[in-house]
């Protein structure tokens, strides 16, 4: 199993657990939990592959499906331990976007897209599974609420990726550092409560 596939599988595990935790908060049945785990982990990647014109990864490699099912069963069995971890949903969601951002960037490069499009694809890969998860759980998607640093963390990770490529580092090191940038930026933003400025329309303004 190559490094790229290992990172991809770790992303699937992280997002699957994120989906399980979100659906359990809504008191869904096991089938509902599985569906949420599934769309959270492969939703962004499916949209990415369709837009690029690549075969959808999880349809060609059943390893992804097996990992999602196994992770969901594991999370349900050990749900009490996971629930007691107050930051577990944030942790797995953050790790997921870090891994998936760089996976998306590499998919864009494989399709010969320019860097700015690759970064957009990486951001979409990382964020849209969570968007689908939140919509199905009847929540305002995390991407769009409370002005949190979310997509920007993905963009910074993508930029880091291309900067490190110029330094001719090994692909594994570039991947690891870029993914870590996403995780660190997102974590620091939440820890220090760094938010984007609010832009809104006041109906009383003329």
């Amino acid at each position: 199993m190559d490094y790229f596939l290992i990172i991809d599988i770790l992303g699937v595990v992280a997002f699957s657990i994120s989906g399980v935790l979100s659906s359990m908060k809504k008191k869904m049945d096991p089938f509902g939990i599985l569906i949420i785990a599934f769309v959270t982990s492969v939703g962004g990647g499916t949209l990415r592959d369709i837009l690029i014109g690549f075969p959808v990864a999880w349809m060609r490699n059943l390893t992804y499906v097996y990992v999602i099912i196994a992770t969901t069963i594991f999370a349900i069995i050990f749900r009490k331990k996971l629930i007691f971890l107050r930051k577990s949903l944030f942790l797995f969601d953050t790790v997921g976007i870090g891994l998936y951002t760089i996976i998306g960037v590499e998919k864009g490069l494989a399709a010969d897209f320019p860097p700015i499009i690759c970064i957009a694809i990486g951001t979409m890969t990382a964020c849209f599974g969570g968007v689908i998860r939140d919509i199905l759980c009847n929540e305002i998607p995390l991407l769009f609420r409370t002005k949190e640093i979310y997509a920007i963390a993905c963009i910074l990770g993508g930029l880091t990726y291309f900067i490190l490529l110029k330094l001719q580092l090994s692909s594994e090191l570039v991947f690891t550092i870029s993914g870590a940038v996403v995780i660190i930026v997102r974590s620091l933003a939440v820890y220090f409560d760094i938010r984007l400025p609010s832009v809104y329309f006041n109906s009383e303004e003329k």
Side-chain angles (χ1 to χ4, degrees):
M1 185 179 293
D2 61 28
Y3 183 79
F4 182 85
L5 182 58
I6 291 172
I7 295 298
D8 205 0
I9 293 299
L10 289 175
V12 169
V13 170
F15 268 138
S16 293
I17 294 176
S18 172
V20 169
L21 293 173
S22 292
S23 55
M24 286 196 299
K25 286 171 61 178
K26 295 296 182 177
K27 300 181 180 179
M28 295 186 183
D29 62 24
F31 181 73
I33 292 173
L34 177 62
I35 294 300
I36 298 299
F38 192 89
V39 300
T40 304
S41 55
V42 300
T46 299
L47 181 59
R48 173 202 65 213
D49 291 342
I50 291 173
L51 290 176
I52 294 177
F54 285 173
V56 177
W58 62 268
M59 291 183 174
R60 295 179 63 87
N61 187 348
L62 289 178
T63 299
Y64 296 98
V65 177
Y66 298 146
V67 168
I68 294 169
I69 293 173
T71 303
T72 300
I73 293 172
F74 172 86
I76 291 174
I77 292 174
F78 294 100
R79 60 188 181 277
K80 291 183 179 180
K81 294 186 180 296
L82 289 173
I83 289 173
F84 280 124
L85 297 175
R86 293 178 59 241
K87 301 295 183 182
S88 55
L89 177 56
F90 167 78
L91 170 65
F92 289 110
D93 191 67
T94 301
V95 171
I97 66 170
L99 297 174
Y100 270 22
T101 295
I102 312 306
I103 290 170
V105 168
E106 292 215 340
K107 289 275 189 175
L109 283 174
D112 294 322
F113 289 133
I116 189 171
I117 300 301
C118 292
I119 293 172
I121 290 172
T123 302
M124 179 186 67
T125 303
C127 296
F128 274 72
V131 170
I132 298 171
R133 173 201 66 206
D134 292 339
I135 290 173
L136 292 178
C137 290
N138 197 29
E139 299 277 357
I140 298 174
L142 183 61
L143 181 63
F144 307 133
R145 69 175 186 254
T146 64
K147 308 176 287 295
E148 288 192 15
I149 304 297
Y150 197 82
I152 288 178
C154 301
I155 293 170
L156 291 176
L159 289 171
T160 301
Y161 181 95
F162 285 101
I163 291 171
L164 294 177
L165 279 184
K166 297 292 185 180
L167 301 178
Q168 297 182 334
L169 301 176
S170 68
S171 58
E172 290 83 2
L173 192 57
V174 171
F175 203 116
T176 302
I177 295 174
S178 302
V181 167
V182 179
I183 295 170
I184 291 170
V185 170
R186 168 83 175 128
S187 299
L188 290 177
V190 171
Y191 183 80
F192 291 105
D193 196 27
I194 301 172
R195 298 169 181 263
L196 294 175
S198 179
V199 178
Y200 63 94
F201 173 74
N202 188 339
S203 61
E204 295 180 358
E205 293 180 352
K206 295 183 180 179

